Amino acid sequence: MIRHHPTPETLLAHAAGTLPAGHGLVVAAHLQGCARCRAELAALEAAGGALLEDLPPETLAAEAFAQVLARLDEPPPAPPPPPRQADLSLPHGLRLPAALRRAEIGRWLWIGTGVRYSRVRLPWAPEQNVMLLRVAGGRRVIHHSHGGAEFTQVLWGGFRDETGHYGPGDIGEADETLAHQPVADPEGCICLAALEGGLRLPWLTRLLGG
Amino acid sequence: MPPVTALDYPAPDASALAALIGRVAASRDRTAYATLFKHFAPRVKAYLRRAGMGGAEAEELAQEVMLSLWRKAESFDPARAGAATWVFAIARNARIDHARRRREVSFPDNAPEEEGHAPSAESLTLSAEREARLRGALGALTPEQQQIVQLSFFSETPHAAIASALNLPLGTVKSRIRLGLSKLRALLEDAP
């Protein structure tokens, strides 16, 4: 059962298309497994539709329609080539969220006792700091805070921190005001996370210290 | 052809728009497409202008959005989303891709659609009728709530920037969003 959902503001920003790409990807992973949030998002998108419908129309150039008509028979753009994705040897039965279909996924890198990291690179937004994390059972991540928003979607297993327990399908939104110390469940934890800020790897420093 | 203004013809209602998209999907009906273009292109351009684009840029991208509407007509499911909702989602995704292209010239084309950004009602049926009801519900929000919801949709500004633009604490912006959203939900649930 899913206990942790995106906040209403986050879902609104996702519907409006204003979340950073990495955070949007994590929210998309949550939506795939959460009918309640999909329904909520659909209502918010309908609000977007209603607002669009009510906007005062802006005149287009006289030749706009003719220009588009002339292009209707053009072939649609070819899809991008499939991204490189390392074989992560995931636990039996775990499939990565469909939202990662077009992302490049690196192999697991050891970054601390019991903690592995795989870089997720979005070819369409390569500056985004997105990763898969695999934390061994009972492993404690050192106490840390955030420079900006950190979204974490649990894919397998779970963890607990000061704000509660997070199991499969749960999403955690931590901002710069939260300092927490996640501890993986006995079976371990695999999650997808997006952090605000360039290509720094804050996990590296804080995990190595643990 | 005279400039497309969308003001010189009676606006088709939501179910008529849905039917027109159905005709494009079923038989590549260019007459139906022309009506959709007249209705939506000026609104999409207005949306893109509100998102901060210049006139020429918004014009060009509005044309791309209308071309996508032609190409993606088969994916429109009137049981899942109203016509305007579907067009909104296409325009929003185009805006996101455009912003990325502008930032990242090394990834020039074929930016993929994000999963979960397709109109996504599954357990909730948003018919054309429901979309129309939502327009009424938006009108029932307080002016402050309306302002925040509109800013959320039409500017690329994160909530922190909205807060500073309106000279409000971030917490106030967040609570207005929450109040507005829960009121919207209540209005939709009360509706017959």
Side-chain angles (χ1 to χ4, degrees), chain B residues 11-45:
Chain B
D13 68 16
S15 56
L17 290 166
L20 289 166
I21 299 172
R23 279 164 56 192
V24 172
S27 57
R28 303 279 109 194
D29 182 331
R30 293 186 184 221
T31 311
Y33 182 69
T35 310
L36 288 168
F37 192 95
K38 271 188 197 162
H39 184 76
F40 281 120
R43 288 175 170 79
V44 169
K45 184 176 175 187

Side-chain angles (χ1 to χ4, degrees), chain B residues 169-180:
Chain B
L170 182 58
T172 306
V173 168
K174 288 190 175 179
S175 66
R176 275 191 197 163
I177 288 173
R178 287 184 186 206
L179 273 173

Side-chain angles (χ1 to χ4, degrees), chain A residues 9 15-17 38 40-42 44-47 53-54 58-59 61 67-68 71 73 78 101-102 124, chain B residues 30 33 39 42-43 45 59 63-64 92 95 100 110 112 115 120-122 126 134-135 152-153 178 185:
Chain A
E9 309 81 271
R38 283 199 303 273
E40 191 81 3
L41 181 72
L44 290 168
E45 286 178 332
E53 194 64 24
D54 284 344
E58 288 213 17
T59 306
Q67 284 173 353
V68 174
R71 294 179 59 196
D73 296 322
R101 197 164 46 96
R102 297 203 184 284
W124 61 94
Chain B
R30 293 186 184 221
Y33 182 69
H39 184 76
R43 288 175 170 79
K45 184 176 175 187
E59 170 94 23
Q63 292 191 23
E64 292 296 328
R92 172 200 60 196
R95 199 204 73 206
R100 282 178 192 150
N110 303 336
E115 299 296 325
S120 31
E122 280 176 25
L126 283 160
L134 198 66
R135 290 171 77 185
S152 298
F153 272 102
R178 287 184 186 206
R185 200 177 302 118

Side-chain angles (χ1 to χ4, degrees), chain A residues 119-139:
Chain A
R119 162 100 165 109
V120 174
R121 184 177 177 276
L122 313 183
W124 61 94
E127 78 290 354
Q128 295 286 302
N129 196 5
V130 184
M131 66 202 72
L132 288 159
L133 285 161
R134 183 169 194 166
V135 184
R139 178 76 192 151

Side-chain angles (χ1 to χ4, degrees), chain B residues 54-130:
Chain B
E57 202 180 10
E59 170 94 23
E60 193 180 319
L61 195 57
Q63 292 191 23
E64 292 296 328
V65 169
M66 295 312 294
L67 193 59
S68 295
L69 192 150
W70 171 264
R71 288 177 179 154
K72 295 179 180 179
E74 285 87 352
S75 73
F76 174 66
D77 177 356
R80 288 172 69 195
T85 302
W86 183 69
V87 174
F88 166 74
I90 293 176
R92 172 200 60 196
N93 293 353
R95 199 204 73 206
I96 296 172
D97 287 346
H98 180 77
R100 282 178 192 150
R101 282 197 300 267
R102 215 168 26 187
R103 278 200 308 267
E104 186 62 43
V105 286
S106 66
F107 191 72
D109 48 39
N110 303 336
E113 299 260 309
E114 254 180 57
E115 299 296 325
H117 260 157
S120 31
E122 280 176 25
S123 59
L124 195 110
T125 303
L126 283 160
S127 62
E129 198 182 307
R130 195 180 162 91

